[in-house]
Amino acid sequence: MLLVLLASSCADVVVLEPPEIGAPERRAPEQSYVYDAAGNQLAVLRKEFRERVPLARMPRHLLDAVVVAEDRRFWTHTGVDARAIVRAALRNVEEGGVAQGGSTITQQLVKNLWMADAPRDVRTKAREALLARDLESEMPKEQILEEYLNTVYFGNGAYGVQAAAHTYWREDVADLDLAQSALLAAVIRGPEYLNPATAPEAAATRRDLVLGAMAAEGTITDAELRVALAQPVAVAARPASPDVAQPYWVDFVVRTLLDDPTFGEDASARRERLYGAGLRIHTTLDPRLQAAAEAATRRFVDRPEDPEVALVAVEPSSGAIVASVGGRDHRVRQFDLATQGRRQPGSAFKTFVLAAAVTAGYRPETLVDGDQGVLTIGEGSGTQQRWIVRNFDRVSYGPITLEEATRASVNGAYARLALELGIGRVIAAARALGISSPLNDDPAIALGGVEVGVSPLEMAAAYATLANLGTRVTASPIDRVEDPGGTVVWRPDRTPRRTFDPGAAWLVTQVLRTAVERGTGANARLPGWEVAGKTGTTSHHTDAWFVGYTTELAAAVWMGHPDEPSRRPLRDVHGERVVTGGRWPARIWRLFMADALAGRAPSGFVLDAEHLVTLEIDPVTGLLAAPWCPGEQRTMPRILAPRATCPSPPPPPPPPAPGPSETDADHPLSCPTDGTGRPTAAPQPRDPACDDPVDVAGSPSPAPSPSPAPSASPSAAAGPDADRGSATASPSPALTSPAAPSQ
C-alpha cells in the first residue's frame, strides 16, 4: 500500500511506502443524519470542517505556540524524542497513571493519518515511532508541520488551523493575534474539555501556560506576554448551520452520544463514529409537541428584555424526551437551558421530601408544625446551627396536615419534616426518582437550597417516575441509531426499573393533585385531566418553576435570567409585579399540555390490583376490624393498610354486691331452701348460718372481685398511631389509613 502526502505549498508530491509493519487503511468518512420522531431530517453531521492553507500563510507566533505546546524539540529530533518519552514515563509513574505523553508532532501526524483506529497499546506506539522516523527521513520538517496543522483537531468539528480560526473568530488564520494563536495551541491537548466555547476558564488557564512557555523559550518578549495575558478568552457566536433544524436539540443529541461509553471506547472513537460512520440517528422529538412547546414558551416572553424560559417534556412510560426548548435564540446563546442549565428548584424540591415522608410512614392527614421561626440543626450535638425559616406568605400556620402543607407550600412544615426524617432519606428519595445532580447534605435542600442546582430535564424525568407509579425509565433523546444499511447498531438503555414503591408514588401523586386543584399550582389545571404538580420559587424571585404530570406526560417549566453574575429577580414581567412558579410557569405548562394532550381521552392515576389490598376496616378508628368492632370492606393501596386492630373494649363490670335496703328491713327473708336450691315459699325466721350466700348447688359462692380500673380510650389504645391525632378514618376511602408511627 502506498501512502501519499500532498504538499499544498509546493508542486512536490511525497510518496511514502511504509515498512513491513504496515499501517491499517482507513475507510473514507461518511456523513451521518439526525431525524425527529416523524422521520424529518434535522441535521447532517459531517466528519470534519477542513480548509487547507500553506505554512507561509500561518503567523509565526502560531507555529511557535504549537511547537512549544506540543513538541519543544520538534526542530532537532528525528521523529521520536527519547528525552520526552523518559520524562513522560517518570511523570506517569509519579502520578500513578497517564499524566503526560511523549509523542512528537510527527508521531501525532502518523496517528492522525494512518493509525487513529488502532488500539492504544505498546505495539501500536512502537509502530507509530517507526513510521514517524521513516516519515522524517522522507519529508522536511516544514512540510510535516504544515500537514500537522492542517489535520489536527481543534474541537467543534474544526480540523486544521484555518477551520479553527473561522469557527472560533470568523477570521482567516493569517489574521490571528498572539493570544488567539496560543489559545489554538492550547486546545490541541484536549479539544473537548479545553473547548473555548464551552470551557473558557480551562482554555484560558492552558493558554496562559503556553504563553509563559513561549516567553521562557524567547519566542515572545515580556511586553508581548503581558498584552496577550490581559486578553479575555472570547469566541464568536456560533450560528446555527442552515442545514440544522432545532439546533439546541441536535446539540443535545450529539452530546448524548459523545458522552455515552457504550457508543465507543473513548471520546475520540465516539466522535469518529458519529461524524464519519454514515449513521442514521432517529430521535424522540415529536414535531407536533415541539411546536406546542415553542408556542407556549413564546406566549408570555416575546420581548428582548424578557426572561428566558426552558421546557422539557418526558413520556413516563418510555422515557422518551418528546419536546425541549433550551432558549430563545441559539445564535445568541448556545448553552441549552433545558438540559445543561442547573438552577435552584425552590419548593419544587419539596416533592422529594414528601416522597421520603410517605415512605417513612407519614400520611396526608399527619399533622406537622407549620410555624415559621428559628430551627436548630444538629440539636444535641456539638455543632448546632440556627436555621431561620420563613413561610412565603409570612404566616405561622401551627399544626397543619401534610396535605395542607403541600397544597399551600408551607416552608416551616417542610423544614421541620426534613429534620424529623433526616436529610439522608430525602436525598435517597430524590435519587430513587431520578435526580442525578450533586445534592448537599443540608436540610435546606428541603426548600430547594441545592448547591449546584438541578436541570429542567432532571426534574421532568424525576416527576415522570411518580407518574409511572415508581417505575423509572431513563430519559433519552434518542430512539435508535442505524448504520447506512438500516441495521440498528445502538439503542439507549430504557430498561424499566422499579425504584420507588408504587403505592407510595400513588399517594404522593394524590397529595400533589391537591396542590393543583386548590393550591399554589391552580393555574396548571386541565379540565377533565388528573394533574399532579408542584410550584417552585427561589429566594429573591430569581427562579420560578412549575413541574407537573398527567398519566401521559411529565413536563418541567423554568423561567429566569440565566446571565451571571446578575441573577436578576423576576419582576415586572408583562404586568406581573413578581413572578412566582404558580404564575407564568404554571400557565406556560398548561398551554403546552393542553395542546400536547389534545385529542387524547383524559385518564387518571390508577394503582394496579397487585398493589391494592381489601380489608375489613373499623370505620371509627380506621384500624383493622375485630369481633368486638365489626368493620366494612375497603380497598386501598397496600402502603396504607393498617397493621393494628381496633382496641378491644373493657370487660363489663360485675353486678354490685347485695346490701341492706329498706325493703330488706321491712320484710326480712329466711334463707332455708326446700332442698332444690329454691327458697321456701313461706317466710322463715332469719338464721345466722345464712350470712354466706349459696349458689344453686348449695355450695358457697366466691366473693365479688373489685371493679376494674377504667380502660384506655380507643385512641390511646391505638398506640403510636394516635399520637398524631389521625386514628379517625378519613372521609375519602382512598386516603383512609392509620397515622404515621412516632418518629
Side-chain angles (χ1 to χ4, degrees), residues 490-651:
W490 186 88
R491 283 187 187 276
D493 181 6
R494 286 228 184 91
T495 306
R497 298 176 177 88
R498 181 168 293 169
T499 58
F500 197 72
D501 181 82
W506 180 88
L507 191 56
V508 169
T509 296
Q510 301 311 306
V511 176
L512 293 181
R513 284 182 59 199
T514 69
V516 174
E517 291 167 358
R518 53 187 187 278
T520 59
N523 279 323
R525 285 178 293 192
L526 290 172
W529 285 88
E530 291 186 2
V531 176
K534 187 70 188 73
T535 56
T537 308
T538 60
S539 300
H540 311 298
H541 300 277
T542 54
D543 302 271
W545 296 74
F546 183 80
V547 190
Y549 55 95
T550 66
T551 54
E552 305 292 324
L553 282 177
V557 176
W558 168 85
M559 176 182 285
H561 295 283
D563 299 323
E564 295 287 358
S566 62
R567 296 290 196 190
R568 276 196 291 154
L570 293 166
R571 298 184 183 276
D572 301 320
V573 180
H574 289 237
E576 291 282 353
R577 186 179 64 84
V578 176
V579 175
T580 64
R583 300 279 187 161
W584 295 130
R587 294 167 183 163
I588 292 170
W589 188 94
R590 184 190 67 224
L591 282 175
F592 163 68
M593 293 292 280
D595 281 351
L597 299 174
R600 305 191 195 188
S603 59
F605 300 98
V606 178
L607 200 57
D608 292 340
E610 63 179 301
H611 306 300
L612 299 174
V613 62
T614 300
L615 300 170
E616 292 282 337
I617 300 296
D618 172 31
V620 177
T621 64
L623 302 177
L624 293 171
W628 49 84
C629 55
E632 55 189 30
Q633 277 198 350
R634 291 185 185 175
T635 300
M636 64 188 69
R638 195 175 300 277
I639 194 172
L640 287 177
R643 298 182 180 181
T645 58
C646 60
S648 59

Side-chain angles (χ1 to χ4, degrees), residues 343-357:
R343 300 293 287 241
Q344 299 294 314
S347 292
F349 203 86
K350 289 175 181 173
T351 293
F352 307 118
V353 185
L354 174 63

Side-chain angles (χ1 to χ4, degrees), residues 17 89 127 200 239 249 282 309 369 378-379 399 409 474 561 564 570 733:
E17 184 172 1
R127 296 171 64 199
W249 179 258
H282 297 270
V309 176
D369 185 355
E379 191 166 2
S409 198
T474 301
H561 295 283
E564 295 287 358
L570 293 166

Side-chain angles (χ1 to χ4, degrees), residues 73-74 76-81 106 129 132-134 136-137 141:
R73 276 176 290 280
F74 170 73
T76 59
H77 64 63
T78 59
V80 178
D81 188 350
T106 312
R133 295 192 63 168
D134 206 33
E136 290 241 359
S137 68
K141 288 279 188 181

Side-chain angles (χ1 to χ4, degrees), residues 183-544:
L183 182 59
L184 288 188
V187 168
I188 295 173
R189 183 67 56 89
E192 303 298 338
Y193 65 86
L194 294 174
N195 188 327
T198 58
E201 293 182 1
T205 299
R206 174 69 180 163
R207 179 205 67 176
D208 293 350
L209 290 175
V210 172
L211 288 168
M214 293 177 72
E217 291 286 321
T219 58
I220 60 174
T221 66
D222 289 342
E224 290 173 321
L225 173 65
R226 287 193 297 272
V227 172
L229 289 174
Q231 287 186 224
V233 170
V235 296
R238 183 183 178 189
S241 173
D243 60 349
V244 175
Q246 300 297 338
Y248 283 114
W249 179 258
V250 172
D251 286 352
F252 177 35
V253 169
V254 168
R255 287 196 310 273
T256 299
L257 290 172
L258 291 180
D259 292 342
D260 194 319
T262 66
F263 189 68
E265 61 180 10
D266 56 33
S268 177
R270 293 192 284 272
R271 177 170 289 278
E272 187 83 9
R273 186 181 189 191
L274 179 61
Y275 286 93
L279 303 175
R280 274 57 174 168
I281 303 162
H282 297 270
T283 75
T284 58
L285 190 75
D286 185 313
R288 187 181 71 82
L289 270 59
Q290 180 67 14
E294 291 172 359
T297 56
R298 292 170 184 159
R299 171 66 176 80
F300 300 111
V301 284
D302 54 359
R303 305 169 187 166
E305 69 275 12
D306 283 342
E308 286 277 10
V309 176
L311 184 154
V312 181
V314 178
E315 192 176 76
S317 60
S318 68
I321 304 171
V322 294
S324 179
V325 176
R328 269 202 300 269
D329 192 341
H330 188 268
R331 293 169 298 180
V332 174
R333 179 184 291 107
Q334 290 79 53
F335 188 76
D336 186 348
L337 297 168
T339 64
Q340 293 178 295
R342 285 193 171 97
R343 300 293 287 241
Q344 299 294 314
S347 292
F349 203 86
K350 289 175 181 173
T351 293
F352 307 118
V353 185
L354 174 63
V358 168
T359 304
Y362 287 72
R363 297 295 177 257
E365 66 272 20
T366 300
L367 292 177
V368 289
D369 185 355
D371 280 346
Q372 54 188 359
V374 180
L375 306 182
T376 301
I377 302 174
E379 191 166 2
S381 67
T383 57
Q384 294 185 10
Q385 293 178 308
R386 287 159 47 87
W387 183 15
I388 300 175
V389 177
R390 293 186 177 91
N391 291 328
F392 185 82
D393 52 10
R394 299 299 191 265
V395 173
S396 288
Y397 286 83
I400 187 174
T401 67
L402 183 57
E403 180 181 301
E404 292 168 335
T406 306
R407 194 165 62 233
S409 198
V410 180
N411 291 338
Y414 267 89
R416 289 179 175 85
L417 190 59
L419 292 177
E420 289 180 24
L421 291 167
I423 203 62
R425 283 182 171 176
V426 176
I427 292 175
R431 294 283 184 240
L433 292 173
I435 296 297
S436 58
S437 288
L439 297 176
N440 41 304
D441 188 9
D442 185 333
I445 72 171
L447 308 183
V450 181
E451 189 172 6
V452 300
V454 292
S455 71
L457 173 58
E458 279 183 277
M459 293 295 282
Y463 277 55
T465 304
L466 289 170
N468 210 26
L469 295 177
T471 297
R472 180 180 166 193
V473 184
T474 301
S476 174
I478 302 170
D479 176 66
R480 68 192 185 279
V481 176
E482 299 173 346
D483 66 13
T487 301
V488 176
V489 295
W490 186 88
R491 283 187 187 276
D493 181 6
R494 286 228 184 91
T495 306
R497 298 176 177 88
R498 181 168 293 169
T499 58
F500 197 72
D501 181 82
W506 180 88
L507 191 56
V508 169
T509 296
Q510 301 311 306
V511 176
L512 293 181
R513 284 182 59 199
T514 69
V516 174
E517 291 167 358
R518 53 187 187 278
T520 59
N523 279 323
R525 285 178 293 192
L526 290 172
W529 285 88
E530 291 186 2
V531 176
K534 187 70 188 73
T535 56
T537 308
T538 60
S539 300
H540 311 298
H541 300 277
T542 54
D543 302 271

Side-chain angles (χ1 to χ4, degrees), residues 72-115:
R72 293 193 185 190
R73 276 176 290 280
F74 170 73
W75 299 108
T76 59
H77 64 63
T78 59
V80 178
D81 188 350
R83 291 170 59 186
I85 293 173
V86 172
R87 183 186 66 246
L90 292 175
R91 175 72 183 280
N92 293 339
V93 170
E94 291 175 0
E95 298 292 332
V98 180
Q100 192 175 90
S103 294
T104 64
I105 284 176
T106 312
Q107 286 176 275
Q108 292 182 51
L109 178 60
V110 167
K111 182 185 72 172
N112 292 341
L113 289 179
W114 304 311
M115 306 184 70

